[in-house]
Amino acid sequence: MSDTPFGFGLPPEEPENGDEGKKKGNQGGQGGPNPFGFPGMGLPGGAGGPGGADNPFAAMFGSMNPNDLGAAFQQLGQMLSYEGGPVNWDMAKDIARQTVAQGTADGVKDTSVGVAEKSAVEEAVRLADHWLDGVTSLPSGATTAVAWSRAEWVEATLPVWKELVDPVAERVGAAMGSVLPEEMQAMAGPLLGMMRSMGGAMFGQQIGQAVGVLAGEVVGSTDIGLPLGPAGKAALLPLNIEGFGKDLGVPAEEVRLYLALREAAHARLFAHVPWLRSHLLGAVEGYARGIKVDTSKLEDVVGQLDPSNPEQLQEALQGGMFQPQDTPEQKAALARLETALALVEGWVDAVVHEAAKPRLTSADAMRETMRRRRASGGPAEQTFATLIGLELRPRRLRDASRLWASLTDARGVDGRDGLWEHPDMLPTASDLDDPDGFVHREQLDFSEIDKMLGEAAQKREQGEQGEQGDGDSDGEGEAKK
C-alpha cells in the first residue's frame, strides 16, 4: 500500500504483441523504466538501445518496433502539449480502457452484456427493492437497473473520479509550480510548462491504470461507499459477479440478489439524503487543502532536472514528496470522511442483512464474505487509498453496522433512518466507540426546536407590526391637532 497520495508506482510493461513484443522491445538489453507506459519506450540513460546515454533518441526509440514509432511520437506529443487541468483525463480514460481490454490477471477478458444478463440484473434489482421496502423508511432510489461491462463501468464512473481526484491533484500541482522564486519562473517558463504537462500525464497514467484494474474487480457502482455512477441507476457487472461468486459455494442467483440488495440500498441512501454526496466530496476537498509538499526535495529535483529525462521527476514523485500534513484541520477532514463512509457502509450492511436474513439461506455467509473483503483491504479501498491517500478502517465499518442495528431495536426503522435528515444528527467517531451510549442518549427533537424558533419569529414580527401601528396612531394624532 502506498503511503503517499496517488501512489505513483511504475506500471508493468504490457507489450501489445505478447511474448513476441517483449522480445522485440528488449533487443540489446533491458531498457530503462517507462513512466508513461508507451510500448517499447525506454528512457535516456538506460541501456535499452544503440548509443545508450550518448544518444537519447536512439536510447528512447532505437529498440522500438518501427510500426509503433509513429504512435509513440504521437502519444509523446499529446503528453507534452497537454494544457488542461491537473490531471490529463483523456490519457486516464485511454489507459483505463486499455487496461480493461487486456483482461484481468486470471485471463478473463471483458465482454458485452447479453440480453439474458440484463434481464437477470433488472429482475434482481426489482426484487431487492421490494424486500428493502419492509426494512427502511427511505423509498426506492433506483429509477433504472443497468448491467454494465467493465468498459461501460469505466465510462460511467470517470466523472465522479474526476471530482474525487482533481482537488488533490490541483493542490499538488500548485505546489510544484511555486517551487522556483518568482523572478526565475519567467525564465523557466518552458520547463515549468513541460513539468505541468508531464505531471498531468503522470496523474492520468496512474489514475487510468488504477481505475482500469478496479473495473475488473468491482461488482457494482457503489463498492467504495460513494455513488460513482449516474444518479438513479442501480448498476451491476455480471462478469465480475460471476467471478466474485465462483468459489463461494452459493447459488449464482443468491449472489446476484445479495449484491443487488447492496446496490439498491446505496441508491436509496444517496437519492434521499441530498446533503450526503456533497458532504463526502467536501471532506475530500478539506483533506486536499491540508496536503503538504516537501518543497526542499522538489527544489532539488527542479535544480537537477534533465529535460530529456523525465525519470528523475517520476522518481521524486515516488519518493514521498506528498505527505498528509499533521494538523488539526487535516486530521479533522480525514476523520470526517472516514466516519461518514463507515456510517454509509454500516447502514447498508445492517439494512441488507435485515432484508436478506429471512429470505436467503446464504445471507450470513454473504455478509461475512463482504466483511472479509473489506477487512483484507479489498480493491476498492486500495484504489481509494492510492488516489487520495486515505485508507478506510474496517473496524469502523463493523462498529457502525452494530450501531445501526441497535438503533433499529431501540427506535424502530423510522427513528433510525430519521437521523439522516441532517449531518449534525448522525453519530460521530466517538459514538462509534460507545454505540450503546448514543443509542440510549436522550433523542433530540428537532421538530420542537423548529416550532420554538417559529413561534419566536412570529412574536417578533407581531411586535414590530405593533410598534409600527403605534407610530402611525401618533402621527395621526399630531395631524389632527
Side-chain angles (χ1 to χ4, degrees), residues 58-258:
M60 185 176 289
F61 301 115
S63 62
M64 181 178 290
N65 185 332
N67 294 331
D68 296 331
L69 189 58
F73 271 119
Q74 183 179 5
Q75 289 182 350
L76 184 61
Q78 289 173 348
M79 180 189 74
L80 294 178
S81 64
Y82 175 69
E83 297 180 351
V87 178
N88 188 330
W89 285 103
D90 289 337
M91 176 174 284
K93 178 179 175 180
D94 289 344
I95 290 177
R97 292 294 299 263
Q98 291 167 12
T99 303
V100 165
Q102 290 171 0
T104 51
D106 57 3
V108 177
K109 299 281 189 179
D110 192 24
T111 58
S112 299
V113 179
V115 175
E117 291 173 317
K118 291 180 180 179
S119 177
V121 166
E122 292 171 356
E123 176 61 21
V125 172
R126 184 197 64 77
L127 184 57
D129 250 340
H130 176 66
W131 288 0
L132 289 171
D133 284 338
V135 297
T136 174
S137 61
L138 299 180
S140 174
T143 55
T144 57
V146 293
W148 283 340
S149 66
R150 293 166 179 171
E152 288 172 327
W153 182 91
V154 168
E155 294 280 353
T157 62
L158 271 179
V160 179
W161 286 116
K162 188 174 187 296
E163 288 188 71
L164 283 171
V165 174
D166 268 352
V168 180
E170 190 159 353
R171 175 69 185 90
V172 171
M176 290 174 65
S178 63
V179 170
L180 291 179
E182 187 174 347
E183 61 273 12
M184 294 181 61
Q185 289 190 16
M187 298 173 58
L191 176 60
L192 290 177
M194 185 183 74
M195 286 180 61
R196 281 192 294 268
S197 297
M198 291 193 313
M202 290 176 183
F203 281 123
Q205 175 235 8
Q206 180 69 19
I207 294 163
Q209 189 178 37
V211 171
V213 171
L214 187 58
E217 299 168 326
V218 294
V219 295
S221 68
T222 55
D223 283 44
I224 66 170
L226 288 172
L228 292 178
K233 285 189 177 180
L236 294 175
L237 282 71
L239 181 62
N240 292 356
I241 290 175
E242 181 182 349
F244 174 84
K246 185 177 180 181
D247 300 319
L248 295 181
V250 176
E253 294 78 9
E254 289 200 16
V255 174
R256 181 169 54 245
L257 187 49
Y258 189 87

Side-chain angles (χ1 to χ4, degrees), residues 2-45:
S2 171
D3 293 329
T4 57
F6 291 92
F8 285 110
L10 296 178
E13 295 186 7
E14 295 286 350
E16 292 181 359
N17 299 324
D19 293 337
E20 187 66 23
K22 291 179 183 177
K23 293 176 184 177
K24 291 180 182 179
N26 289 335
Q27 290 175 357
Q30 291 293 326
N34 177 0
F36 305 115
F38 298 146
M41 183 182 290
L43 286 171

